Amino acid sequence: MKLKLIPAMLILMLFGFHASAQEALFNAQQIISPEIHENSTVTFRMYAPNASSVEVTGDFLPTEKIETPMGEMDGPGKAKLSKDDKGIWSLTTESLSPELYSYSFIIDGLRATDPNNPFLIRDVASVTNVFLVGEGQAALYRVNDIPHGTVARRWYDSPGLDMDRRITIYTPPGYEKSNEKFPVLYLLHGAGGDEEAWIALGRTAQIMDNMIAQGKVKPMIVVMPNGNVIQDAAPGEGNDGMYKPQFMVPKTMDGTYEANFMDIIKFVESNYQVKADKAHRAIAGLSMGGFHTLHISRYYPNTFDYMGLFSAAIMPREDATGKVYSDFDETLQNQMDNGYKLYWIAIGKTDFLYDANKEFRAKLDGMGMPYEYVESEGGHIWRNWRVYLTQFAPLLFK
Amino acid sequence: MKLKLIPAMLILMLFGFHASAQEALFNAQQIISPEIHENSTVTFRMYAPNASSVEVTGDFLPTEKIETPMGEMDGPGKAKLSKDDKGIWSLTTESLSPELYSYSFIIDGLRATDPNNPFLIRDVASVTNVFLVGEGQAALYRVNDIPHGTVARRWYDSPGLDMDRRITIYTPPGYEKSNEKFPVLYLLHGAGGDEEAWIALGRTAQIMDNMIAQGKVKPMIVVMPNGNVIQDAAPGEGNDGMYKPQFMVPKTMDGTYEANFMDIIKFVESNYQVKADKAHRAIAGLSMGGFHTLHISRYYPNTFDYMGLFSAAIMPREDATGKVYSDFDETLQNQMDNGYKLYWIAIGKTDFLYDANKEFRAKLDGMGMPYEYVESEGGHIWRNWRVYLTQFAPLLFK
């Protein structure tokens, strides 16, 4: 070879070199945070020599009461880190139970992400760092060395909403090469969420891959639509560009989504190898998505054999006058009369929707409408919704 | 309906309510940052009443010299924000040219993400906020109201590397319903990147959607593999779990990737509706991906009709003894003799690989090997690579 070789060092250091890589190489703190130890304790570290206080706040700490405009509520706990003589603050937790946790730092009163942890998930308008600890339940949230399904972000035409809309679709391992037809789970997000919520915070692809590989869950397609009818896509992924997401989006719970849900089913059933019948359709959702599940499944009362209400909201708002909500009792009765395989309700003991669900169960009891009920610890949190998915999915299409 | 209605306010506030949503609702600063003004100036804001200094650093500011172990280099510029009497720091920029920009805050000397901007992109181990300004070139990076392709994360079997590996594949609008066969662009990332780099930092899906809709680019499949042969997937997406990504990954440039690239082509050509011939295969990449493009295309010297070297590294490391690098001149001659449609080389005037590319062009000139050459302003940065993609893609498959 005739060309002068670029020195190996230069090549090593400079390929793909640009502004943030410079940071990574030269300025960033070469420390590991979080460090997950074998005994499931976790060490957080933050280089902040001039800070006078560094705390970590996250869902692995005992909750603390916080003042809100609506009164005192449970908020994430906080713990103080200690500074060493090099200016590195650190804290090692107690042994944590297996889970996907999220956290932020609070540095001199300001919330900050951990600059040494590039793994973050957006939840509504907040972005927090995440980490995984332990085996057991957490092993279902990991990527393991097993066959993997495909996760596609596609766009479907919704004639009812008069727009192309983005949708996240999980197809099981081997789907593309298979001649089989598969059952479908429609999996719906809560308020503030979108078509990214279940795949990111819910670890849906990892849960399905792992439980399918274990033989505990039937291979199925999981369809994760966007339940905010004024959006074509998640914030940053649609025509509205990048903007600060809101917790409640206009028209989200006025019946429009439920009334147009058939657009999604038609798209799926004309674009995928699916068993297009009631016996092979399931629908589930968390919080607002549980509400959508309840109302969609009774509004189309002979469409789904499996319903999952995860920490569901139950009743429409008083100002929601959509046709969907006008015949609650009659359609619920129809749904019962038509028959189904499973009506599954799960909620945490401290969930603010606990009483609403208790009333709903009393209503179902009064009607003689059969359901299965799971009561967990904890409140209205993703930790519960991931667990509910791992409990609900094995019951489907058996 | 017999059930007591939950008050609308409660419903409004509480659906999907959990720890970080509490933050979003009650504690977070209800300020907008960045705010993009109609005249393309941008205001950054940060609520930090007790901070003594808040700066913004980003690629929209003039570069500053920074000291590194390798000497003085260009680093991202910095600008100071000013505090108002409410404790909100702000800065409004000059009018910015159309672009996708990235930035961070520096608060009392500590780098921090912007808590009011949920849009972040990881680049190697660094996560920075991003925003889009203006029309023109930036309009190619937006999601516009046009038909959209599908972006799938799939896993393919690589017999050569003996693992299932994750790959990102863009299929053009209408692909799923079409009986046509499509051409394929293999698009390769740089050092520190992975199968997420082009789709996130490169805005590939937006560029392809927009330029296909404008009739400037032929509908094509874009395949974005992972060029780090010891990884099955991007950090956090594979068997190795979540870990701090490195800039250089072992075995990345020893010839193993190039020698096993046929595994990727075989997967694509047996799983997608593609025109499986040289006339309908293009390969391009940035930096290390340009290096891979150069070496793959000459190692398989009759496989691709279109090559794109974006700010490419050229020569192998002195210690890289892979078979792929043993017959550089002969295979390059073969590639020339076999003929091709386009050998496209682009680099910025201040790129540290400028001289290496100049030498390479001299070599090609000496051989009489035809190529097209584009010299841009600027250095080894994503801004150039996005532009190069918008310049290269229209030349393909015409």
Side-chain angles (χ1 to χ4, degrees), chain A residues 213-248:
Chain A
Q214 292 170 1
K216 290 180 181 160
V217 163
K218 291 246 183 192
M220 67 181 77
I221 295 171
V222 184
V223 174
M224 290 156 275
N226 182 316
N228 310 308
V229 294
I230 67 159
Q231 292 180 348
D232 61 339
E237 302 288 350
N239 298 340
D240 295 332
M242 299 181 190
Y243 59 91
K244 193 167 176 176
Q246 295 177 287
F247 186 60
M248 282 304 293

Side-chain angles (χ1 to χ4, degrees), chain B residues 118-132:
Chain B
F119 303 103
L120 301 116
I121 300 182
R122 178 179 65 82
D123 189 7
V124 195
S126 299
V127 176
T128 52
N129 291 100
V130 294
F131 64 96
L132 260 170

Side-chain angles (χ1 to χ4, degrees), chain A residues 19 21 26 36 41 63 152 159 277 325 360 365:
Chain A
F26 301 118
I36 318 292
T41 62
T63 57
D277 58 23
Y325 307 127
F360 183 57
D365 290 337

Side-chain angles (χ1 to χ4, degrees), chain A residues 104-375:
Chain A
S104 302
F105 286 138
I106 302 173
I107 303 170
D108 291 340
L110 289 181
R111 172 172 297 264
T113 54
D114 181 348
N116 288 293
N117 180 356
F119 302 103
L120 301 115
I121 300 181
R122 179 179 63 82
D123 189 7
V124 195
S126 301
V127 175
T128 52
N129 290 101
V130 295
F131 63 96
L132 260 170
V133 175
E135 298 303 319
Q137 186 71 16
L140 298 177
Y141 308 152
R142 286 185 201 288
V143 178
N144 290 303
D145 188 11
I146 52 171
H148 300 290
T150 297
V151 177
R153 270 75 168 189
R154 281 187 72 168
W155 294 72
Y156 71 98
D157 174 35
S158 175
L161 301 177
D162 193 25
M163 59 169 109
D164 283 347
R165 308 190 76 230
R166 194 164 176 268
I167 192 164
T168 301
I169 299 191
Y170 168 90
T171 47
Y175 170 83
E176 291 90 348
K177 291 285 197 184
S178 173
N179 296 318
E180 265 183 80
K181 290 173 182 284
F182 292 85
V184 182
L185 165 62
Y186 296 87
L187 190 58
L188 312 182
H189 62 79
D194 50 58
E195 76 275 15
E196 295 294 324
W198 267 109
I199 207 76
L201 288 151
R203 303 292 282 179
T204 306
Q206 291 78 26
I207 289 170
M208 298 307 289
D209 282 354
N210 284 313
M211 297 192 81
I212 290 170
Q214 292 170 1
K216 290 180 181 160
V217 163
K218 291 246 183 192
M220 67 181 77
I221 295 171
V222 184
V223 174
M224 290 156 275
N226 182 316
N228 310 308
V229 294
I230 67 159
Q231 292 180 348
D232 61 339
E237 302 288 350
N239 298 340
D240 295 332
M242 299 181 190
Y243 59 91
K244 193 167 176 176
Q246 295 177 287
F247 186 60
M248 282 304 293
V249 177
K251 292 178 70 62
T252 301
M253 299 181 68
D254 69 352
T256 309
Y257 184 58
E258 295 94 319
N260 290 286
F261 198 78
M262 277 299 153
D263 286 352
I264 295 170
I265 295 181
K266 280 178 193 156
F267 166 76
V268 169
E269 296 188 351
S270 64
N271 280 274
Y272 287 83
Q273 300 151 219
V274 297
K275 295 178 178 164
D277 58 23
K278 182 180 176 182
H280 298 93
R281 288 190 206 110
I283 185 167
L286 72 93
S287 193
M288 178 182 84
F291 171 93
H292 285 148
T293 295
L294 188 170
H295 295 287
I296 290 165
S297 70
R298 61 159 186 76
Y299 188 68
Y300 303 104
N302 205 19
T303 304
F304 303 94
D305 250 352
Y306 303 87
M307 277 62 65
L309 279 63
F310 304 173
S311 311
I314 303 295
M315 297 301 294
R317 297 197 312 256
E318 289 183 55
D319 61 345
T321 56
K323 178 172 175 300
V324 170
Y325 307 127
S326 65
D327 48 4
F328 191 128
D329 290 1
E330 299 82 336
T331 52
L332 201 61
Q333 182 73 42
N334 279 352
Q335 185 178 12
M336 178 175 81
D337 294 345
N338 291 329
Y340 49 78
K341 293 276 182 59
L342 177 67
Y343 204 104
W344 195 85
I345 299 171
I347 195 155
K349 285 175 185 162
T350 61
D351 196 307
F352 73 94
L353 292 171
Y354 184 89
D355 287 344
N357 274 257
K358 192 172 171 185
E359 283 184 73
F360 183 57
R361 285 185 288 113
K363 178 187 178 78
L364 298 181
D365 290 337
M367 293 169 63
M369 185 160 168
Y371 61 92
E372 287 186 22
Y373 178 58
V374 170
E375 193 168 286

